[in-house]
Amino acid sequence: MTTMQRPRAAIYARISRDIAGQGLGTERQVAECQALADRNGLEVVRVYVDNDISAFGGRPRPEFERMQADIRTGTVQTVVCWDTSRLLRKTRELEDFIDLCQPRNVDTLQVNGLRVDLSSSHSRAIAKQGMVYHQMESELKSERIKAQKRQAAASGKYLGGRVPYGWRKVDTITDTLGRVRGGQIVVDDPAAALIRSGTEAIVAGRSLISVTREWADAGAIGLTGNRMNTTQVRRILLRPRNAGLSMFHGQVMGNDWPAIVPLSTFRKMEAILTSPDRPRQAESKFRYLLSGVALCYCGAYMTGFGAPERRSYRCSVHQAGGRYIRGHANRAMGPLDHYVRSVTSHYLGRSDVRAQLLKDMQRLADSERPVESADIARLVSMKQDLIRRWTRGEIDDGEWEEARQEIVNQIAALEAVTKANGGNRAVFSALATEDPGAAFLSSPVEVQREILREVFRIQLRESGPYRGTFDPETVSITLKEAMDG
């Protein structure tokens, strides 16, 4: 007696979000699909489960793709799912699924509905119509989530994900997958102390590499578990959130996060670190007085290199592509440093230069706005109120966009003013002494470098071969235009 072979079936289960992380939702789907397969006399040969993966978000579904491959090879003759919305969520996916299953006579059964018939044009049209509603439902859900995130960002609320360095979550729960949920954001005191000291150090004229070293000595580590480099430290210091401002798509949206540093101090530090006068090269390479400060006659920055007894400055273009390139400046470090320090000390000690520099520093100080934080907070509050009115339908889209753009422009104008008021405390500290020249000479190299960068433009001139003696005519040292009045 010949035993008839039962049709080979595959079960597919999926859940978009598994909050508990235990796969219970997909387990229930598989159990009901197995029962349906048994009632229809099918032999389940494979079970495919995509847990915690949305079919609409664009992320790959490994198990779904594996099932499609098995359909192509004939391993699977029938697909069993709890509902077609678990299997497909886009009309484009349905078209591909029809092209895959129809030529191979692969059936699709669903627990929560009738058999999906793809054999005729009429039945395929019905299937496509149902998929249109599934896709619309997903799109509406996506729009609601995005609107909720915009509103949360406008209120300065935490949007989820990894907590930024400087804060931590409290009163939280951790699911079985190790994901943290719930709770609120508070300042993480040890990390916040480093952010405060780092911000104040930059404003005081210290270098980014010195701040990075202090963080490393204090045990600060990045996301990889290793000590942070200057790029990571710079990125952390430049976050507007440090000053209590949350950003959403590049715009200031709220200020409900607990601030770590005053907004005025943050803006001064931001102006220094983002100044076009600061070279883009890693600061760890700028250990010497004129590294990243002096310019070659080609316009590129000079960097220091060589053994202590033969140390010199050379144009950064020399290092392009790892090859030595002729036609750029190369100067002995010792004589050039000595000359620049002597000229700077003399300049700062002159009464007319000192008076002009103090006048410029005072102008910056007078133009600072101590109510800047309140101004931005007021505009952000207006923006939040505008969002609430638009959500309630009290204003239309045109009125919303016009008013929103006006507020955005006002915030941008305030930020531009505060950035221009950054100033440089290193220069002011030297000028505030009885002997600015001596104060400059006794300052650490990194502070001397900040003073040079702020006050002078130093550029080397073309010259012949080095003859063993320093020629002052080969270097130009001029006060910057802003300091010339």
Side-chain angles (χ1 to χ4, degrees):
M1 181 176 179
T2 303
T3 303
M4 292 187 61
Q5 187 177 9
R6 293 187 297 167
R8 297 184 301 276
I11 292 175
Y12 180 78
R14 180 188 63 81
I15 189 169
S16 298
R17 189 180 182 193
D18 184 6
I19 296 178
Q22 298 176 348
L24 299 180
T26 53
E27 285 183 5
R28 288 190 292 267
Q29 292 180 35
V30 170
E32 295 192 38
C33 288
Q34 182 66 62
L36 177 61
D38 293 341
R39 290 195 300 270
N40 283 269
L42 303 174
E43 179 189 3
V44 176
V45 294
R46 298 283 173 85
V47 176
Y48 308 89
V49 177
D50 283 317
N51 191 46
D52 205 18
I53 297 179
S54 171
F56 191 75
R59 286 174 56 194
R61 290 190 284 161
E63 290 298 296
F64 180 74
E65 293 173 359
R66 192 171 292 116
M67 182 186 69
Q68 288 180 307
D70 287 342
I71 292 175
R72 291 188 185 96
T73 61
T75 304
V76 173
Q77 297 171 313
T78 302
V79 175
V80 183
C81 61
W82 187 80
D83 185 274
T84 53
S85 65
R86 301 298 88 203
L87 184 66
L88 307 163
R89 289 294 272 180
K90 296 181 180 180
T91 55
R92 182 176 62 254
E93 289 181 342
L94 176 61
E95 294 286 356
D96 294 339
F97 194 69
I98 291 174
D99 292 340
L100 176 65
C101 295
Q102 185 185 6
R104 298 171 176 83
N105 295 319
V106 175
D107 286 335
T108 301
L109 302 181
Q110 55 180 339
V111 174
N112 192 32
L114 302 174
R115 172 177 173 270
V116 180
D117 185 5
L118 303 177
S119 61
S120 67
S121 58
H122 183 264
S123 61
R124 289 193 294 272
I126 293 175
K128 292 176 183 178
Q129 187 178 25
M131 192 54 56
V132 167
Y133 284 102
H134 286 321
Q135 181 166 333
M136 180 185 69
E137 182 183 39
S138 293
E139 291 174 349
L140 289 174
K141 181 179 179 181
S142 175
E143 290 171 0
R144 288 195 301 269
I145 292 174
K146 289 179 180 178
Q148 290 170 357
K149 287 188 175 182
R150 282 195 299 269
Q151 190 169 10
S155 302
K157 294 180 180 178
Y158 179 53
L159 298 180
R162 190 185 297 274
V163 179
Y165 185 80
W167 293 269
R168 60 186 176 89
K169 262 188 172 182
V170 295
D171 299 328
T172 59
I173 59 171
T174 304
D175 63 25
T176 56
L177 296 180
R179 295 175 301 191
V180 179
R181 302 184 183 279
Q184 59 181 337
I185 303 299
V186 298
V187 171
D188 182 25
D189 292 333
L194 292 178
I195 292 175
R196 289 191 197 97
S197 63
T199 301
E200 292 169 356
I202 297 298
V203 173
R206 301 257 312 280
S207 67
L208 189 58
I209 185 59
S210 69
V211 173
T212 303
R213 287 170 181 156
E214 287 184 359
W215 284 26
D217 293 341
I221 58 174
L223 300 179
T224 61
N226 300 319
R227 57 183 292 179
M228 300 185 199
N229 56 35
T230 53
T231 301
Q232 292 170 312
V233 172
R234 182 180 186 274
R235 186 183 301 121
I236 290 174
L237 292 178
L238 286 174
R239 294 177 314 194
R241 201 178 290 281
N242 296 346
L245 299 177
S246 64
M247 306 292 291
F248 189 70
H249 290 180
Q251 295 184 16
V252 178
M253 298 295 292
N255 61 342
D256 286 351
W257 274 60
I260 293 177
V261 297
L263 187 55
S264 58
T265 305
F266 171 80
R267 291 306 190 196
K268 290 180 179 179
M269 177 275 305
E270 182 184 46
I272 293 171
L273 287 186
T274 59
S275 170
D277 290 334
R278 295 184 75 91
R280 296 296 182 185
Q281 191 174 3
E283 285 210 24
S284 59
K285 298 181 180 179
F286 298 148
R287 292 177 294 171
Y288 309 113
L289 180 67
L290 300 180
S291 294
V293 175
L295 301 174
C296 173
Y297 39 80
C298 75
Y301 283 100
M302 304 290 290
T303 57
F305 80 106
E309 65 276 7
R310 300 182 60 185
R311 194 160 287 157
S312 64
Y313 292 110
R314 65 180 178 184
C315 177
S316 55
V317 174
H318 277 314
Q319 305 170 59
R323 301 186 307 274
Y324 180 81
I325 300 176
R326 296 182 178 277
H328 296 272
N330 192 332
R331 298 287 190 276
M333 183 179 293
L336 182 57
D337 281 355
H338 177 74
Y339 176 70
V340 169
R341 283 192 173 103
S342 299
V343 171
T344 302
S345 174
H346 173 72
Y347 258 121
L348 295 180
R350 282 174 42 182
S351 58
D352 57 333
V353 174
R354 183 185 186 189
Q356 183 60 50
L357 292 175
L358 284 172
K359 181 179 178 181
D360 290 335
M361 294 294 106
Q362 187 61 51
R363 174 177 53 79
L364 290 174
D366 292 342
S367 62
E368 288 183 356
R369 299 187 57 177
V371 295
E372 176 210 355
S373 179
D375 286 346
I376 291 185
R378 174 180 56 81
L379 290 172
V380 169
S381 177
M382 291 171 58
K383 191 174 183 180
Q384 294 171 354
D385 181 64
L386 192 66
I387 292 174
R388 287 190 289 268
R389 293 181 59 194
W390 176 63
T391 304
R392 293 195 298 262
E394 296 177 4
I395 58 175
D396 59 29
D397 291 349
E399 293 171 323
W400 145 257
E401 180 58 31
E402 182 179 355
R404 185 197 68 83
Q405 192 58 52
E406 176 61 27
I407 293 175
V408 169
N409 291 341
Q410 290 186 43
I411 292 176
L414 270 180
E415 291 181 339
V417 169
T418 55
K419 285 185 179 181
N421 290 342
N424 191 307
R425 189 179 295 177
V427 178
F428 187 81
S429 297
L431 295 174
T433 63
E434 293 184 3
D435 188 345
F440 168 78
L441 293 177
S442 63
S443 297
V445 171
E446 61 190 33
V447 175
Q448 292 181 350
R449 189 188 303 118
E450 285 300 316
I451 293 175
L452 292 176
R453 180 183 288 129
E454 182 77 13
V455 180
F456 299 105
R457 187 177 192 276
I458 303 172
Q459 186 163 21
L460 302 181
R461 298 190 178 105
E462 292 189 63
S463 64
Y466 182 60
R467 302 299 183 184
T469 58
F470 177 74
D471 183 3
E473 295 299 320
T474 61
V475 58
S476 169
I477 304 177
T478 57
L479 285 171
K480 288 190 173 179
E481 294 180 3
M483 300 302 176
D484 285 335

